[in-house]
């Protein structure tokens, strides 16, 4: 059996509401499942970038790109930036599904 540990994370209420929308849509069973999925995806994305065969220069460029994806200078994006990206993603999803 895999040993597990509970991790407490503070997030803005608006993020929680977005996750709840995904749960209500049936995409995730609950908030915990969303968080586990997100952690796995983030870890895989980061390790895929890190282990990609590349020159030192390409490797450093990949790290720079990864940090930019997090936000300027490797800091997390602001709540407003993330919510804007969520809004854009939601609109793209609706267009794709023919809901707009």
């Amino acid at each position: 059996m895999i040993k597990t540990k509970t991790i407490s994370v503070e997030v803005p209420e608006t993020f929680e509401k977005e996750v709840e929308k995904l749960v209500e849509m049936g995409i995730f069973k609950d908030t915990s499942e969303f968080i586990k999925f997100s952690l796995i995806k983030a870890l895989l994305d980061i390790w895929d970038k890190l282990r990609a065969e590349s020159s030192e220069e390409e490797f450093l460029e990949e790290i720079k790109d990864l940090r930019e994806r997090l936000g300027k200078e490797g800091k997390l994006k602001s709540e407003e930036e993330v919510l804007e990206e969520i809004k854009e993603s939601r609109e793209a999803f609706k267009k794709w599904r023919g809901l707009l």
Side-chain angles (χ1 to χ4, degrees):
M1 177 183 264
I2 296 174
K3 187 175 178 180
T4 63
K5 182 173 180 167
T6 300
I7 300 174
S8 237
V9 180
E10 289 185 26
V11 297
E13 285 182 25
T14 50
F15 290 7
E16 179 190 22
K17 289 176 185 175
E18 291 299 323
V19 172
E20 285 303 317
K21 288 178 187 175
L22 296 174
V23 170
E24 289 171 10
M25 292 171 67
I27 296 173
F28 296 97
K29 177 178 71 175
D30 53 29
T31 302
S32 182
E33 185 180 64
F34 169 82
I35 292 170
K36 288 175 191 174
F37 171 86
S38 299
L39 283 170
I40 291 167
K41 178 157 180 22
L43 288 168
L44 289 173
D45 287 351
I46 291 168
W47 285 111
D48 282 347
K49 288 277 187 188
L50 292 175
R51 74 172 173 218
E53 291 183 30
S54 60
S55 68
E56 184 176 343
E57 185 177 305
E58 290 170 328
F59 177 77
L60 292 174
E61 192 61 34
E62 288 175 16
I63 296 298
K64 180 181 172 189
D65 178 58
L66 192 57
R67 291 183 67 167
E68 286 173 0
R69 285 175 52 199
L70 289 173
K72 294 178 182 167
E73 299 173 11
K75 295 178 185 172
L76 293 177
K77 293 181 180 182
S78 71
E79 179 180 346
E80 291 79 19
E81 290 173 305
V82 173
L83 289 173
E84 183 60 33
E85 287 183 20
I86 289 171
K87 180 181 173 187
E88 290 170 7
S89 294
R90 191 182 302 137
E91 288 173 6
F93 176 76
K94 286 179 182 178
K95 285 181 184 176
W96 177 73
R97 294 285 304 263
L99 300 173
L100 284 181

